[in-house]
PDB file of all heavy atoms in Angstrom:
ATOM      1  N   ILE A   1       8.189   5.970  11.710  1.00  0.00           N
ATOM      2  CA  ILE A   1       8.276   6.394  10.306  1.00  0.00           C
ATOM      3  C   ILE A   1       7.040   5.883   9.576  1.00  0.00           C
ATOM      4  O   ILE A   1       6.661   4.716   9.745  1.00  0.00           O
ATOM      5  CB  ILE A   1       9.551   5.825   9.650  1.00  0.00           C
ATOM      6  CG1 ILE A   1      10.792   6.274  10.427  1.00  0.00           C
ATOM      7  CG2 ILE A   1       9.650   6.233   8.186  1.00  0.00           C
ATOM      8  CD1 ILE A   1      12.041   5.495  10.081  1.00  0.00           C
ATOM      9  N   LEU A   2       6.418   6.743   8.799  1.00  0.00           N
ATOM     10  CA  LEU A   2       5.261   6.348   7.990  1.00  0.00           C
ATOM     11  C   LEU A   2       5.739   6.079   6.570  1.00  0.00           C
ATOM     12  O   LEU A   2       6.368   6.937   5.938  1.00  0.00           O
ATOM     13  CB  LEU A   2       4.202   7.445   7.986  1.00  0.00           C
ATOM     14  CG  LEU A   2       2.941   7.143   7.160  1.00  0.00           C
ATOM     15  CD1 LEU A   2       2.147   6.000   7.791  1.00  0.00           C
ATOM     16  CD2 LEU A   2       2.077   8.393   7.022  1.00  0.00           C
ATOM     17  N   ILE A   3       5.427   4.893   6.083  1.00  0.00           N
ATOM     18  CA  ILE A   3       5.823   4.495   4.736  1.00  0.00           C
ATOM     19  C   ILE A   3       4.604   4.466   3.818  1.00  0.00           C
ATOM     20  O   ILE A   3       3.574   3.882   4.163  1.00  0.00           O
ATOM     21  CB  ILE A   3       6.477   3.091   4.736  1.00  0.00           C
ATOM     22  CG1 ILE A   3       7.663   3.051   5.696  1.00  0.00           C
ATOM     23  CG2 ILE A   3       6.904   2.697   3.321  1.00  0.00           C
ATOM     24  CD1 ILE A   3       8.773   4.022   5.383  1.00  0.00           C
ATOM     25  N   LYS A   4       4.730   5.107   2.667  1.00  0.00           N
ATOM     26  CA  LYS A   4       3.739   4.921   1.605  1.00  0.00           C
ATOM     27  C   LYS A   4       4.132   3.639   0.883  1.00  0.00           C
ATOM     28  O   LYS A   4       5.182   3.573   0.236  1.00  0.00           O
ATOM     29  CB  LYS A   4       3.723   6.092   0.631  1.00  0.00           C
ATOM     30  CG  LYS A   4       2.731   5.905  -0.521  1.00  0.00           C
ATOM     31  CD  LYS A   4       2.647   7.136  -1.388  1.00  0.00           C
ATOM     32  CE  LYS A   4       1.802   6.880  -2.637  1.00  0.00           C
ATOM     33  NZ  LYS A   4       0.469   6.324  -2.363  1.00  0.00           N
ATOM     34  N   VAL A   5       3.327   2.613   1.039  1.00  0.00           N
ATOM     35  CA  VAL A   5       3.679   1.279   0.546  1.00  0.00           C
ATOM     36  C   VAL A   5       3.384   1.179  -0.944  1.00  0.00           C
ATOM     37  O   VAL A   5       2.253   1.381  -1.382  1.00  0.00           O
ATOM     38  CB  VAL A   5       2.904   0.196   1.321  1.00  0.00           C
ATOM     39  CG1 VAL A   5       3.228  -1.188   0.773  1.00  0.00           C
ATOM     40  CG2 VAL A   5       3.228   0.268   2.816  1.00  0.00           C
ATOM     41  N   HIS A   6       4.416   0.884  -1.720  1.00  0.00           N
ATOM     42  CA  HIS A   6       4.224   0.630  -3.150  1.00  0.00           C
ATOM     43  C   HIS A   6       3.965  -0.854  -3.418  1.00  0.00           C
ATOM     44  O   HIS A   6       3.217  -1.204  -4.337  1.00  0.00           O
ATOM     45  CB  HIS A   6       5.440   1.091  -3.938  1.00  0.00           C
ATOM     46  CG  HIS A   6       5.710   2.560  -3.830  1.00  0.00           C
ATOM     47  ND1 HIS A   6       4.706   3.492  -3.689  1.00  0.00           N
ATOM     48  CD2 HIS A   6       6.868   3.257  -3.822  1.00  0.00           C
ATOM     49  CE1 HIS A   6       5.233   4.704  -3.623  1.00  0.00           C
ATOM     50  NE2 HIS A   6       6.545   4.587  -3.681  1.00  0.00           N
ATOM     51  N   ALA A   7       4.591  -1.720  -2.621  1.00  0.00           N
ATOM     52  CA  ALA A   7       4.409  -3.165  -2.788  1.00  0.00           C
ATOM     53  C   ALA A   7       4.605  -3.857  -1.448  1.00  0.00           C
ATOM     54  O   ALA A   7       5.391  -3.394  -0.607  1.00  0.00           O
ATOM     55  CB  ALA A   7       5.394  -3.724  -3.815  1.00  0.00           C
ATOM     56  N   ALA A   8       3.882  -4.955  -1.247  1.00  0.00           N
ATOM     57  CA  ALA A   8       3.961  -5.721   0.004  1.00  0.00           C
ATOM     58  C   ALA A   8       4.023  -7.205  -0.315  1.00  0.00           C
ATOM     59  O   ALA A   8       3.205  -7.713  -1.093  1.00  0.00           O
ATOM     60  CB  ALA A   8       2.756  -5.423   0.895  1.00  0.00           C
ATOM     61  N   GLY A   9       4.979  -7.891   0.258  1.00  0.00           N
ATOM     62  CA  GLY A   9       5.130  -9.329   0.033  1.00  0.00           C
ATOM     63  C   GLY A   9       4.061 -10.128   0.755  1.00  0.00           C
ATOM     64  O   GLY A   9       3.526  -9.703   1.783  1.00  0.00           O
ATOM     65  N   ILE A  10       3.734 -11.292   0.198  1.00  0.00           N
ATOM     66  CA  ILE A  10       2.756 -12.195   0.807  1.00  0.00           C
ATOM     67  C   ILE A  10       3.465 -13.480   1.214  1.00  0.00           C
ATOM     68  O   ILE A  10       4.155 -14.104   0.403  1.00  0.00           O
ATOM     69  CB  ILE A  10       1.618 -12.565  -0.168  1.00  0.00           C
ATOM     70  CG1 ILE A  10       0.974 -11.327  -0.775  1.00  0.00           C
ATOM     71  CG2 ILE A  10       0.562 -13.415   0.550  1.00  0.00           C
ATOM     72  CD1 ILE A  10      -0.052 -11.649  -1.859  1.00  0.00           C
ATOM     73  N   THR A  11       3.286 -13.877   2.454  1.00  0.00           N
ATOM     74  CA  THR A  11       3.739 -15.189   2.936  1.00  0.00           C
ATOM     75  C   THR A  11       2.489 -16.009   3.220  1.00  0.00           C
ATOM     76  O   THR A  11       1.742 -15.704   4.156  1.00  0.00           O
ATOM     77  CB  THR A  11       4.592 -15.058   4.200  1.00  0.00           C
ATOM     78  OG1 THR A  11       5.732 -14.230   3.909  1.00  0.00           O
ATOM     79  CG2 THR A  11       5.064 -16.415   4.670  1.00  0.00           C
ATOM     80  N   GLY A  12       2.251 -17.022   2.404  1.00  0.00           N
ATOM     81  CA  GLY A  12       1.005 -17.776   2.488  1.00  0.00           C
ATOM     82  C   GLY A  12       0.739 -18.386   3.854  1.00  0.00           C
ATOM     83  O   GLY A  12      -0.411 -18.471   4.296  1.00  0.00           O
ATOM     84  N   ASP A  13       1.805 -18.799   4.552  1.00  0.00           N
ATOM     85  CA  ASP A  13       1.637 -19.430   5.859  1.00  0.00           C
ATOM     86  C   ASP A  13       1.226 -18.445   6.953  1.00  0.00           C
ATOM     87  O   ASP A  13       0.922 -18.855   8.072  1.00  0.00           O
ATOM     88  CB  ASP A  13       2.932 -20.125   6.282  1.00  0.00           C
ATOM     89  CG  ASP A  13       3.241 -21.350   5.424  1.00  0.00           C
ATOM     90  OD1 ASP A  13       2.292 -21.917   4.847  1.00  0.00           O
ATOM     91  OD2 ASP A  13       4.425 -21.732   5.344  1.00  0.00           O
ATOM     92  N   ALA A  14       1.227 -17.151   6.640  1.00  0.00           N
ATOM     93  CA  ALA A  14       0.930 -16.147   7.670  1.00  0.00           C
ATOM     94  C   ALA A  14      -0.467 -16.287   8.263  1.00  0.00           C
ATOM     95  O   ALA A  14      -0.729 -15.808   9.365  1.00  0.00           O
ATOM     96  CB  ALA A  14       1.110 -14.739   7.104  1.00  0.00           C
ATOM     97  N   VAL A  15      -1.366 -16.955   7.550  1.00  0.00           N
ATOM     98  CA  VAL A  15      -2.714 -17.154   8.107  1.00  0.00           C
ATOM     99  C   VAL A  15      -2.681 -18.062   9.329  1.00  0.00           C
ATOM    100  O   VAL A  15      -3.650 -18.109  10.089  1.00  0.00           O
ATOM    101  CB  VAL A  15      -3.693 -17.733   7.051  1.00  0.00           C
ATOM    102  CG1 VAL A  15      -3.946 -16.739   5.927  1.00  0.00           C
ATOM    103  CG2 VAL A  15      -3.176 -19.059   6.505  1.00  0.00           C
ATOM    104  N   THR A  16      -1.578 -18.770   9.552  1.00  0.00           N
ATOM    105  CA  THR A  16      -1.457 -19.650  10.717  1.00  0.00           C
ATOM    106  C   THR A  16      -0.679 -18.983  11.855  1.00  0.00           C
ATOM    107  O   THR A  16      -0.480 -19.592  12.895  1.00  0.00           O
ATOM    108  CB  THR A  16      -0.748 -20.968  10.347  1.00  0.00           C
ATOM    109  OG1 THR A  16       0.625 -20.691   9.997  1.00  0.00           O
ATOM    110  CG2 THR A  16      -1.435 -21.640   9.171  1.00  0.00           C
ATOM    111  N   TRP A  17      -0.242 -17.744  11.652  1.00  0.00           N
ATOM    112  CA  TRP A  17       0.535 -17.053  12.675  1.00  0.00           C
ATOM    113  C   TRP A  17      -0.418 -16.363  13.648  1.00  0.00           C
ATOM    114  O   TRP A  17      -1.261 -15.550  13.243  1.00  0.00           O
ATOM    115  CB  TRP A  17       1.470 -16.036  12.042  1.00  0.00           C
ATOM    116  CG  TRP A  17       2.477 -16.643  11.101  1.00  0.00           C
ATOM    117  CD1 TRP A  17       2.744 -17.965  10.930  1.00  0.00           C
ATOM    118  CD2 TRP A  17       3.333 -15.941  10.200  1.00  0.00           C
ATOM    119  NE1 TRP A  17       3.712 -18.148   9.982  1.00  0.00           N
ATOM    120  CE2 TRP A  17       4.098 -16.919   9.513  1.00  0.00           C
ATOM    121  CE3 TRP A  17       3.544 -14.594   9.906  1.00  0.00           C
ATOM    122  CZ2 TRP A  17       5.043 -16.581   8.549  1.00  0.00           C
ATOM    123  CZ3 TRP A  17       4.483 -14.255   8.951  1.00  0.00           C
ATOM    124  CH2 TRP A  17       5.226 -15.241   8.288  1.00  0.00           C
ATOM    125  N   PRO A  18      -0.320 -16.642  14.932  1.00  0.00           N
ATOM    126  CA  PRO A  18      -1.311 -16.133  15.890  1.00  0.00           C
ATOM    127  C   PRO A  18      -1.328 -14.628  16.055  1.00  0.00           C
ATOM    128  O   PRO A  18      -2.355 -14.051  16.414  1.00  0.00           O
ATOM    129  CB  PRO A  18      -0.929 -16.828  17.197  1.00  0.00           C
ATOM    130  CG  PRO A  18       0.509 -17.204  17.032  1.00  0.00           C
ATOM    131  CD  PRO A  18       0.681 -17.509  15.578  1.00  0.00           C
ATOM    132  N   GLU A  19      -0.202 -13.947  15.776  1.00  0.00           N
ATOM    133  CA  GLU A  19      -0.156 -12.515  16.062  1.00  0.00           C
ATOM    134  C   GLU A  19      -1.157 -11.696  15.248  1.00  0.00           C
ATOM    135  O   GLU A  19      -1.666 -10.676  15.715  1.00  0.00           O
ATOM    136  CB  GLU A  19       1.257 -11.957  15.845  1.00  0.00           C
ATOM    137  CG  GLU A  19       1.795 -12.100  14.444  1.00  0.00           C
ATOM    138  CD  GLU A  19       2.613 -13.359  14.248  1.00  0.00           C
ATOM    139  OE1 GLU A  19       2.473 -14.288  15.075  1.00  0.00           O
ATOM    140  OE2 GLU A  19       3.373 -13.418  13.274  1.00  0.00           O
ATOM    141  N   ILE A  20      -1.458 -12.156  14.022  1.00  0.00           N
ATOM    142  CA  ILE A  20      -2.394 -11.387  13.198  1.00  0.00           C
ATOM    143  C   ILE A  20      -3.777 -11.321  13.833  1.00  0.00           C
ATOM    144  O   ILE A  20      -4.491 -10.326  13.724  1.00  0.00           O
ATOM    145  CB  ILE A  20      -2.477 -11.960  11.762  1.00  0.00           C
ATOM    146  CG1 ILE A  20      -3.394 -11.118  10.881  1.00  0.00           C
ATOM    147  CG2 ILE A  20      -2.983 -13.398  11.765  1.00  0.00           C
ATOM    148  CD1 ILE A  20      -2.963  -9.692  10.733  1.00  0.00           C
ATOM    149  N   TYR A  21      -4.153 -12.373  14.561  1.00  0.00           N
ATOM    150  CA  TYR A  21      -5.488 -12.432  15.159  1.00  0.00           C
ATOM    151  C   TYR A  21      -5.572 -11.606  16.441  1.00  0.00           C
ATOM    152  O   TYR A  21      -6.654 -11.399  16.972  1.00  0.00           O
ATOM    153  CB  TYR A  21      -5.879 -13.888  15.395  1.00  0.00           C
ATOM    154  CG  TYR A  21      -5.871 -14.667  14.090  1.00  0.00           C
ATOM    155  CD1 TYR A  21      -4.753 -15.424  13.723  1.00  0.00           C
ATOM    156  CD2 TYR A  21      -6.949 -14.593  13.216  1.00  0.00           C
ATOM    157  CE1 TYR A  21      -4.728 -16.101  12.504  1.00  0.00           C
ATOM    158  CE2 TYR A  21      -6.922 -15.266  11.996  1.00  0.00           C
ATOM    159  CZ  TYR A  21      -5.810 -16.013  11.649  1.00  0.00           C
ATOM    160  OH  TYR A  21      -5.779 -16.668  10.438  1.00  0.00           O
ATOM    161  N   ALA A  22      -4.413 -11.128  16.909  1.00  0.00           N
ATOM    162  CA  ALA A  22      -4.392 -10.241  18.072  1.00  0.00           C
ATOM    163  C   ALA A  22      -4.213  -8.778  17.668  1.00  0.00           C
ATOM    164  O   ALA A  22      -4.173  -7.894  18.525  1.00  0.00           O
ATOM    165  CB  ALA A  22      -3.268 -10.653  19.021  1.00  0.00           C
ATOM    166  N   THR A  23      -4.086  -8.532  16.361  1.00  0.00           N
ATOM    167  CA  THR A  23      -3.906  -7.167  15.863  1.00  0.00           C
ATOM    168  C   THR A  23      -5.269  -6.550  15.589  1.00  0.00           C
ATOM    169  O   THR A  23      -6.045  -7.104  14.797  1.00  0.00           O
ATOM    170  CB  THR A  23      -3.078  -7.185  14.560  1.00  0.00           C
ATOM    171  OG1 THR A  23      -1.837  -7.841  14.808  1.00  0.00           O
ATOM    172  CG2 THR A  23      -2.819  -5.772  14.065  1.00  0.00           C
ATOM    173  N   PRO A  24      -5.607  -5.412  16.203  1.00  0.00           N
ATOM    174  CA  PRO A  24      -6.946  -4.828  16.015  1.00  0.00           C
ATOM    175  C   PRO A  24      -7.312  -4.587  14.555  1.00  0.00           C
ATOM    176  O   PRO A  24      -8.460  -4.791  14.162  1.00  0.00           O
ATOM    177  CB  PRO A  24      -6.865  -3.516  16.802  1.00  0.00           C
ATOM    178  CG  PRO A  24      -5.841  -3.778  17.854  1.00  0.00           C
ATOM    179  CD  PRO A  24      -4.824  -4.667  17.206  1.00  0.00           C
ATOM    180  N   SER A  25      -6.355  -4.176  13.739  1.00  0.00           N
ATOM    181  CA  SER A  25      -6.665  -3.871  12.339  1.00  0.00           C
ATOM    182  C   SER A  25      -6.860  -5.119  11.491  1.00  0.00           C
ATOM    183  O   SER A  25      -7.472  -5.048  10.427  1.00  0.00           O
ATOM    184  CB  SER A  25      -5.544  -3.036  11.721  1.00  0.00           C
ATOM    185  OG  SER A  25      -4.394  -3.838  11.506  1.00  0.00           O
ATOM    186  N   ARG A  26      -6.284  -6.235  11.936  1.00  0.00           N
ATOM    187  CA  ARG A  26      -6.282  -7.494  11.175  1.00  0.00           C
ATOM    188  C   ARG A  26      -5.597  -7.347   9.815  1.00  0.00           C
ATOM    189  O   ARG A  26      -5.871  -8.102   8.883  1.00  0.00           O
ATOM    190  CB  ARG A  26      -7.714  -8.032  10.985  1.00  0.00           C
ATOM    191  CG  ARG A  26      -8.371  -8.566  12.252  1.00  0.00           C
ATOM    192  CD  ARG A  26      -7.637  -9.804  12.758  1.00  0.00           C
ATOM    193  NE  ARG A  26      -8.354 -10.476  13.815  1.00  0.00           N
ATOM    194  CZ  ARG A  26      -9.183 -11.494  13.627  1.00  0.00           C
ATOM    195  NH1 ARG A  26      -9.390 -11.954  12.414  1.00  0.00           N
ATOM    196  NH2 ARG A  26      -9.792 -12.041  14.650  1.00  0.00           N
ATOM    197  N   ILE A  27      -4.726  -6.357   9.681  1.00  0.00           N
ATOM    198  CA  ILE A  27      -3.965  -6.182   8.445  1.00  0.00           C
ATOM    199  C   ILE A  27      -2.708  -7.045   8.524  1.00  0.00           C
ATOM    200  O   ILE A  27      -1.893  -6.867   9.438  1.00  0.00           O
ATOM    201  CB  ILE A  27      -3.567  -4.709   8.227  1.00  0.00           C
ATOM    202  CG1 ILE A  27      -4.803  -3.824   8.105  1.00  0.00           C
ATOM    203  CG2 ILE A  27      -2.702  -4.567   6.967  1.00  0.00           C
ATOM    204  CD1 ILE A  27      -4.490  -2.340   8.072  1.00  0.00           C
ATOM    205  N   PRO A  28      -2.503  -7.986   7.595  1.00  0.00           N
ATOM    206  CA  PRO A  28      -1.303  -8.819   7.619  1.00  0.00           C
ATOM    207  C   PRO A  28      -0.145  -8.115   6.903  1.00  0.00           C
ATOM    208  O   PRO A  28      -0.296  -7.013   6.381  1.00  0.00           O
ATOM    209  CB  PRO A  28      -1.744 -10.059   6.848  1.00  0.00           C
ATOM    210  CG  PRO A  28      -2.687  -9.494   5.815  1.00  0.00           C
ATOM    211  CD  PRO A  28      -3.413  -8.354   6.496  1.00  0.00           C
ATOM    212  N   GLY A  29       0.976  -8.782   6.864  1.00  0.00           N
ATOM    213  CA  GLY A  29       2.085  -8.309   6.049  1.00  0.00           C
ATOM    214  C   GLY A  29       3.262  -7.795   6.837  1.00  0.00           C
ATOM    215  O   GLY A  29       3.137  -6.860   7.632  1.00  0.00           O
ATOM    216  N   HIS A  30       4.439  -8.399   6.587  1.00  0.00           N
ATOM    217  CA  HIS A  30       5.664  -7.999   7.267  1.00  0.00           C
ATOM    218  C   HIS A  30       6.727  -7.472   6.316  1.00  0.00           C
ATOM    219  O   HIS A  30       7.717  -6.908   6.774  1.00  0.00           O
ATOM    220  CB  HIS A  30       6.235  -9.189   8.050  1.00  0.00           C
ATOM    221  CG  HIS A  30       5.335  -9.673   9.137  1.00  0.00           C
ATOM    222  ND1 HIS A  30       5.309  -9.122  10.405  1.00  0.00           N
ATOM    223  CD2 HIS A  30       4.388 -10.648   9.158  1.00  0.00           C
ATOM    224  CE1 HIS A  30       4.405  -9.735  11.152  1.00  0.00           C
ATOM    225  NE2 HIS A  30       3.842 -10.670  10.416  1.00  0.00           N
ATOM    226  N   GLU A  31       6.549  -7.660   5.022  1.00  0.00           N
ATOM    227  CA  GLU A  31       7.545  -7.211   4.051  1.00  0.00           C
ATOM    228  C   GLU A  31       6.964  -6.084   3.204  1.00  0.00           C
ATOM    229  O   GLU A  31       5.897  -6.240   2.592  1.00  0.00           O
ATOM    230  CB  GLU A  31       7.953  -8.360   3.133  1.00  0.00           C
ATOM    231  CG  GLU A  31       8.695  -9.485   3.828  1.00  0.00           C
ATOM    232  CD  GLU A  31       9.052 -10.593   2.869  1.00  0.00           C
ATOM    233  OE1 GLU A  31       8.135 -11.305   2.412  1.00  0.00           O
ATOM    234  OE2 GLU A  31      10.236 -10.739   2.565  1.00  0.00           O
ATOM    235  N   ILE A  32       7.687  -4.968   3.139  1.00  0.00           N
ATOM    236  CA  ILE A  32       7.195  -3.827   2.380  1.00  0.00           C
ATOM    237  C   ILE A  32       8.322  -3.159   1.601  1.00  0.00           C
ATOM    238  O   ILE A  32       9.501  -3.287   1.933  1.00  0.00           O
ATOM    239  CB  ILE A  32       6.524  -2.770   3.277  1.00  0.00           C
ATOM    240  CG1 ILE A  32       7.520  -2.213   4.304  1.00  0.00           C
ATOM    241  CG2 ILE A  32       5.294  -3.345   3.970  1.00  0.00           C
ATOM    242  CD1 ILE A  32       6.998  -1.010   5.083  1.00  0.00           C
ATOM    243  N   SER A  33       7.910  -2.435   0.585  1.00  0.00           N
ATOM    244  CA  SER A  33       8.805  -1.552  -0.146  1.00  0.00           C
ATOM    245  C   SER A  33       7.993  -0.315  -0.509  1.00  0.00           C
ATOM    246  O   SER A  33       6.813  -0.411  -0.843  1.00  0.00           O
ATOM    247  CB  SER A  33       9.322  -2.245  -1.406  1.00  0.00           C
ATOM    248  OG  SER A  33      10.161  -1.379  -2.132  1.00  0.00           O
ATOM    249  N   GLY A  34       8.615   0.855  -0.419  1.00  0.00           N
ATOM    250  CA  GLY A  34       7.876   2.078  -0.721  1.00  0.00           C
ATOM    251  C   GLY A  34       8.728   3.305  -0.518  1.00  0.00           C
ATOM    252  O   GLY A  34       9.966   3.256  -0.645  1.00  0.00           O
ATOM    253  N   THR A  35       8.084   4.416  -0.175  1.00  0.00           N
ATOM    254  CA  THR A  35       8.793   5.657   0.073  1.00  0.00           C
ATOM    255  C   THR A  35       8.407   6.206   1.439  1.00  0.00           C
ATOM    256  O   THR A  35       7.304   5.967   1.933  1.00  0.00           O
ATOM    257  CB  THR A  35       8.472   6.710  -0.996  1.00  0.00           C
ATOM    258  OG1 THR A  35       7.057   6.869  -1.100  1.00  0.00           O
ATOM    259  CG2 THR A  35       9.034   6.302  -2.351  1.00  0.00           C
ATOM    260  N   VAL A  36       9.329   6.939   2.048  1.00  0.00           N
ATOM    261  CA  VAL A  36       9.047   7.573   3.335  1.00  0.00           C
ATOM    262  C   VAL A  36       8.027   8.682   3.116  1.00  0.00           C
ATOM    263  O   VAL A  36       8.267   9.613   2.351  1.00  0.00           O
ATOM    264  CB  VAL A  36      10.335   8.132   3.966  1.00  0.00           C
ATOM    265  CG1 VAL A  36      10.016   8.864   5.266  1.00  0.00           C
ATOM    266  CG2 VAL A  36      11.348   7.021   4.206  1.00  0.00           C
TER     267      VAL A  36
END
């Protein structure tokens, strides 16, 4: 499902989570709200 993101939550500690550095896009963020 593709979501048009209206807002995305920020978790400050996410810079210490290793998975972001293995993601090719380097786009963080796990919480979203928007429309399909």
Side-chain angles (χ1 to χ4, degrees):
I1 303 165
L2 180 67
I3 304 300
K4 178 175 172 53
V5 178
H6 298 327
I10 308 174
T11 301
D13 291 336
V15 294
T16 67
W17 299 350
E19 61 267 19
I20 183 60
Y21 301 96
T23 304
S25 73
R26 290 295 190 95
I27 299 172
H30 297 275
E31 294 179 290
I32 61 171
S33 178
T35 53
V36 177

